[in-house]
Amino acid sequence: MPEMAGGGLLGTPDGAVLDQVRVLELTRTIGGAYTAKLFADAGAEVIMIEPPGGDRMRSWSASGSPAGGDSGDGAFFQFLNAGKRSIVIDLDDSGGRDRFLELAATADLVVEDLGAGTVESMGLGHAELVERNPSLVLLSISPWGRGGPWDHRPANEFTLQSWVGSTHSRGIPGEMPLGVGGKLGEFLTAANASALGLAALMSARRDSAQGEHVDISAYEAMTTSFIVYAHLYATYAPESRTGATRSIEIPSIEQAKDGWVGFCTITGQQFKDFCVVIDDPEMADDPKLSSGDGRMDNRNEVWERIARYTKAHTVDEIVEKATLLRVPVAPIGDGSRVAQIDHFAERGVYVQNPGGFTQPRVPYKLGSRPSRPVPPAPALGEAGDDLPGAPVDSSRASGPRPARTEPSLPLAGLRVCDLATFWAGPVASCLYSALGADVIKVESIQRCDGMRYASGLQREDLWEWSPVTHGANTGKRSVTLDLSTDDGLAQVKRLVEISDIVIENYSPRVVENFGLDWDEVHRLNPNAIMVRMPAFGLDGPWRDRTGFAMTIEQASGLAFLTGDPEGRPLVPRGMCDQLGGMHAVFATLLALEHRAQTGEAQLVEVPLIEAGLNAAAEQVIEWTAYGQLLQRQGNRSPYAAPQGIYAAPGEDQWVVISVDDDAQWPALARLLGREDWVAWASRDERHVHHDEIDAAISAWVAERDRDAAVDELLEAGVPAAPVISGRESVDNPQLVARGHQQWMDHVVVGRVPYPSFPGRFNGKYHPLKRPAPTLGEHNEEILRDVLGLDASEIARLAETKVIGTRPVY
């Protein structure tokens, strides 16, 4: 495919952004399929390489409903693969491998998730691919990543949740811990993979160096998001309770008169306002209930006081009152009702799939271009022999290209005005920085980034200790400017004038009240891309509602699948921030490609809720395709059987087991001494016998030390894990061996193991450049060197508190 003028990836100005890109998809997981889907949604030609008999997801239904429709394929398969093409290639055959290499010679990107070392063992690794096609990018997704002592350990999302420390923290102390339902970790990994893969693709198309092997670790993606940077806490704030105690957020999901309603009270003020909502302001004044830990310790009393109000009122009544008091709130979505919620209906968030069911639309919007209708998924092998193994482009076949020695930096030379706050927006701009951009974080001493106060620590300078602030802001420079003053706003506007990207994630009214909406940003700088990440989007009934990741989990349906069947739904705990942030990076890179081809800068809208709705899509798809409502199953899952958490001897000792591949089952049956059970060869058969299998596993684990049982299971090829805390996971040998943590000295908190983004490029992570900035750390150099102010003007701004380095209360 010829490279376009300006080095972009576009075809025609009116075409989809990636319509000159060819992707070969060699995946077997939901996360792999969703990664490739994001490229297909952006216009790339995505060719599924299916084995004889087809992708096993073609017949999949989480409810066990038979596949239907004209194609005979399952609805979820049709969602994940809409707009792709299909070719059948037997990679176990030398002729099939030759056919794959012919296609690879014409491709830009290969996405694979077959497991560490698998494509290499077939002779289809990056070294072989770039011999045919020097600029080709290989995007590999695996549980542990390439290299390290654990890279071939059996694992899946459910066991990885426990390895990172997430499972340990969720539930009631002394009772069985609870994992996250659904496949949120796979979607999160896919969002990271798509952003990092597109970054590598941009570089491969624009310079003369060889394409990269992008090695994505699902474990690393989940390490930061599923335990909220617990590694940082464990290193520089060991006195923190975070990650050490099982708990449930209170308040969170509560029973109303006619259903479930969800709250999120991250700040102390939000809890006080919540107490007003439930007509119990005295509870806010009770010192033993002022913290989340205190409420958990006194949970039965608190739940009773909350229920007095919530059970007497409808969800709509509660939502209306809480919204007026600006308490983050949402009805609890599930497959049967989420698409009918007024906000989603008015915004057109749900669209029709040609297979006859409802699905969420693409979770971002570029400019004013209308969404394309959803195309059908391909029939098995529909591309047949029509796909050419075309001659290699002369631009690619002109001889070997030099191998990259460092990760590519496709955003080098770009400047970002970062107005984002809390987690989703900052983590997106943090990746901009890792990809080479100069990111300038704008706060004020009057209104710091709210996440600075979310450390749970008692420190004089507590605003410098938040682990999320550290983890999501590495590599940036910080300037404080009070936007409520003419002087502060004037300097921010000057920064906008010289920036390539402006990013913010407030509710829409905030930046608009400062006069920094898209029209003004575009007037100030017609070349600037503006990325807006409001929780619920730029229009619709919920436009101005405050929303955090846990609100998204509640409204989208992600929380509905987590927890015991007889109990309340539980929030997964914040993963939607990184999920939305990585979708925003992917969309930003598309907007940069559009600008490279057309010269047009765009408004990029990435509502946090729409990333969550895509991760929860299977629920509404099952309901509208089959009339089946997916439910909470505790630690069981439609994707695996058996799956559960089993008690080992000792206090709070647990073993996680999850058999999601039929080939893993015989080894487990033999470990249990039940050779006769090997005949239960399919997951469906094992679901029928799950109680019987659970009893046998429980007895087997009860006779063994926790870690010895896990080792025995792993040696047999069965995915397993101990239930450990986030603090215990800090010294994981896989993280250490891969060099995932980049240690840097922070001027306040000391030595910090900053986490890399979860992808190695030809064996190396993107360098994070510098520690997270202290508040206003770079005021003088930015005001002087970037904005051109002299010393007297900078002194005047400091004297009038337009700038500063300590919060003003």
Side-chain angles (χ1 to χ4, degrees):
M1 283 167 213
E3 192 159 353
M4 303 308 298
L9 303 175
L10 291 165
T12 64
D14 294 328
V17 177
L18 300 184
D19 66 357
Q20 293 293 299
V21 169
R22 171 173 281 184
V23 178
L24 302 186
E25 178 192 349
L26 191 56
T27 70
R28 301 292 182 263
T29 68
I30 290 170
Y34 186 74
T35 301
K37 176 187 186 300
L38 287 170
F39 284 91
D41 290 340
E45 179 192 29
V46 176
I47 303 167
M48 301 173 63
I49 310 298
E50 299 196 63
D55 188 320
R56 63 183 180 180
M57 287 296 295
R58 284 186 177 273
S59 60
W60 168 256
S61 163
S63 65
S65 300
D70 295 338
S71 68
D73 294 325
F76 195 45
F77 171 88
Q78 294 181 64
F79 163 72
L80 289 170
N81 298 292
K84 300 178 184 178
R85 306 190 69 186
S86 168
I87 185 170
V88 176
I89 296 179
D90 184 358
L91 293 177
D92 291 328
D93 175 76
S94 60
R97 293 192 293 274
D98 288 343
R99 175 63 171 140
F100 180 86
L101 287 170
E102 290 176 1
L103 289 173
T106 70
D108 302 277
L109 175 70
V110 173
V111 180
E112 67 91 9
D113 65 2
L114 301 187
T118 302
V119 293
E120 290 85 351
S121 69
M122 295 177 175
L124 304 176
H126 191 244
E128 292 84 6
L129 295 177
V130 296
E131 284 184 12
R132 297 280 188 117
N133 184 347
S135 63
L136 184 72
V137 173
L138 174 61
L139 177 59
S140 296
I141 306 167
S142 59
W144 301 104
R146 296 309 205 258
W150 290 11
D151 68 346
H152 284 74
R153 274 194 172 191
N156 56 38
E157 176 181 323
F158 194 71
T159 62
L160 290 179
Q161 288 182 32
S162 195
W163 280 116
V164 303
S166 170
T167 304
H168 176 275
S169 69
R170 189 176 301 99
I172 302 297
E175 298 182 8
M176 181 184 294
L178 291 162
V180 175
K183 286 289 187 180
L184 181 52
E186 288 202 32
F187 279 92
L188 176 78
T189 301
N192 279 274
S194 61
L196 292 169
L198 182 53
L201 182 61
M202 289 171 61
S203 293
R205 300 284 292 214
R206 286 181 174 165
D207 61 39
S208 59
Q210 183 175 288
E212 292 167 292
H213 184 190
V214 184
D215 161 27
I216 302 294
S217 164
Y219 175 70
E220 291 169 7
M222 294 169 65
T223 291
T224 51
S225 59
F226 270 65
I227 54 172
V228 197
Y229 300 103
H231 293 77
L232 304 185
Y233 259 164
T235 302
Y236 66 68
E239 73 272 27
S240 168
R241 281 184 64 181
T242 298
T245 304
R246 193 137 52 250
S247 65
I248 294 172
E249 286 77 7
I250 304 174
S252 182
I253 299 175
E254 312 296 339
Q255 183 72 62
K257 188 175 183 179
D258 59 346
W260 296 101
V261 62
F263 301 95
C264 178
T265 57
I266 291 179
T267 69
Q269 186 60 52
Q270 286 169 343
F271 178 66
K272 291 179 180 180
D273 293 338
F274 166 79
C275 293
V276 175
V277 170
I278 64 169
D279 295 338
D280 192 354
E282 294 81 9
M283 186 161 64
D285 298 325
D286 188 335
K288 75 175 186 292
L289 305 180
S290 61
S291 69
D293 289 339
R295 294 192 288 275
M296 187 64 198
D297 292 342
N298 297 276
R299 56 189 173 275
N300 291 326
E301 174 193 345
V302 178
W303 278 332
E304 181 180 350
R305 293 171 74 165
I306 293 171
R308 289 173 194 162
Y309 179 85
T310 58
K311 287 187 175 181
H313 294 82
T314 67
V315 171
D316 287 346
E317 290 170 343
I318 296 168
V319 168
E320 181 179 6
K321 185 176 180 182
T323 299
L324 289 173
L325 291 170
R326 301 203 62 76
V327 175
V329 66
I332 302 305
D334 64 39
S336 68
R337 65 187 69 184
V338 66
Q340 280 71 51
I341 290 176
D342 59 348
H343 182 73
F344 306 146
E346 184 169 317
R347 279 177 50 83
V349 170
Y350 283 93
V351 295
Q352 195 72 5
N353 186 285
F357 57 87
T358 299
Q359 68 172 63
R361 67 186 179 188
V362 177
Y364 59 82
K365 185 176 181 181
L366 302 181
S368 58
R369 181 179 298 169
S371 300
R372 296 184 297 164
V374 178
L380 177 62
E382 56 82 25
D385 296 325
D386 297 335
L387 289 172
V392 181
D393 272 350
S394 59
S395 62
R396 300 183 186 179
S398 57
R401 299 189 181 193
R404 296 183 189 275
T405 58
E406 297 293 336
S408 58
L409 299 173
L411 303 190
L414 301 187
R415 179 176 290 122
V416 178
C417 175
D418 181 7
L419 303 173
T421 186
F422 281 89
W423 192 1
V427 79
S429 54
C430 187
L431 183 48
Y432 298 158
S433 173
L435 295 175
D438 175 20
V439 179
I440 299 175
K441 182 177 179 65
V442 180
E443 303 174 77
S444 71
I445 57 175
Q446 292 78 15
R447 184 175 180 175
C448 305
D449 182 338
M451 192 57 82
R452 285 189 176 275
Y453 299 101
S455 69
L457 304 175
Q458 298 298 318
R459 302 273 182 162
E460 181 182 354
D461 51 358
L462 64 90
W463 59 88
E464 302 295 1
W465 289 82
S466 163
V468 177
T469 298
H470 278 272
N473 290 284
T474 46
K476 303 179 186 180
R477 296 192 287 172
S478 169
V479 64
T480 51
L481 290 165
D482 183 1
L483 272 68
S484 68
T485 67
D486 291 341
D487 283 334
L489 185 59
Q491 297 308 320
V492 169
K493 287 185 175 182
R494 292 187 63 209
L495 184 58
V496 168
E497 290 173 348
I498 56 175
S499 294
D500 296 275
I501 300 168
V502 179
I503 182 171
E504 64 88 17
N505 65 324
Y506 291 97
S507 56
R509 64 183 178 83
V510 175
V511 294
E512 292 169 7
N513 286 345
F514 287 125
L516 288 174
D517 60 7
W518 165 242
D519 288 342
E520 177 64 4
V521 167
H522 192 58
R523 184 191 70 80
L524 290 168
N525 183 354
N527 197 48
I529 292 163
M530 187 175 192
V531 182
R532 303 196 65 183
M533 300 175 61
F536 301 112
L538 296 175
D539 55 25
W542 295 9
R543 175 185 188 272
D544 290 321
R545 289 188 186 179
T546 303
F548 295 91
M550 288 179 282
T551 318
I552 303 306
E553 294 162 3
Q554 293 164 350
S556 66
L558 290 168
F560 186 75
L561 292 186
T562 299
D564 287 320
E566 302 81 15
R568 66 183 69 216
L570 302 178
V571 292
R573 284 191 163 153
M575 297 76 166
C576 281
D577 275 305
Q578 280 220 337
L579 181 75
M582 295 303 99
H583 277 90
V585 173
F586 185 81
T588 303
L589 296 179
L590 293 178
L592 286 167
E593 289 302 322
H594 178 83
R595 189 181 73 172
Q597 175 67 17
T598 67
E600 177 191 26
Q602 294 176 303
L603 170 65
V604 179
E605 180 186 1
V606 191
L608 202 58
I609 185 64
E610 296 197 32
L613 292 172
N614 271 261
E618 191 167 18
Q619 294 180 62
V620 74
I621 290 170
E622 284 281 333
W623 177 256
T624 57
Y626 310 120
Q628 297 294 318
L629 182 63
L630 300 183
Q631 299 280 1
R632 293 182 297 289
Q633 296 187 30
N635 287 316
R636 291 188 181 180
S637 166
Y639 309 103
Q643 177 172 289
I645 300 180
Y646 307 91
E651 182 180 356
D652 207 28
Q653 299 287 292
W654 305 89
V655 172
V656 177
I657 298 173
S658 176
V659 175
D660 65 341
D661 187 320
D662 290 341
Q664 299 161 352
W665 168 243
L668 178 56
R670 293 184 180 109
L671 280 180
L672 298 175
R674 297 305 304 259
E675 183 76 32
D676 54 319
W677 287 0
V678 171
W680 297 339
S682 74
R683 180 176 49 232
D684 290 343
E685 289 177 283
R686 296 192 297 277
H687 274 303
V688 172
H689 297 281
H690 213 308
D691 289 344
E692 190 177 355
I693 296 171
D694 271 352
I697 295 174
S698 294
W700 185 86
V701 172
E703 296 176 348
R704 288 162 172 80
D705 170 77
R706 181 195 71 179
D707 293 344
V710 170
D711 288 344
E712 193 170 350
L713 289 159
L714 293 172
E715 183 66 25
V718 178
V723 175
I724 58 176
S725 70
R727 185 176 300 168
E728 291 176 276
S729 72
V730 171
D731 297 322
N732 181 284
Q734 182 69 7
L735 289 180
V736 173
R738 281 171 55 88
H740 178 252
Q741 296 166 351
Q742 299 186 35
W743 288 83
M744 290 184 278
D745 292 314
H746 187 272
V747 67
V748 174
V749 307
R751 195 81 170 145
V752 178
Y754 288 104
S756 303
F757 285 93
R760 296 203 302 187
F761 286 56
N762 291 350
K764 295 184 178 180
Y765 296 101
H766 282 102
L768 298 175
K769 294 188 291 196
R770 59 169 64 91
T774 59
L775 183 65
E777 178 180 351
H778 304 98
N779 281 345
E780 185 171 347
E781 71 178 65
I782 291 170
L783 294 174
R784 181 191 64 227
D785 300 339
V786 177
L787 298 178
L789 273 61
D790 59 28
S792 62
E793 180 64 7
I794 294 171
R796 185 183 70 81
L797 293 177
E799 184 178 353
T800 56
K801 298 192 183 302
V802 173
I803 65 173
T805 57
R806 294 182 65 85
V808 175
Y809 297 104

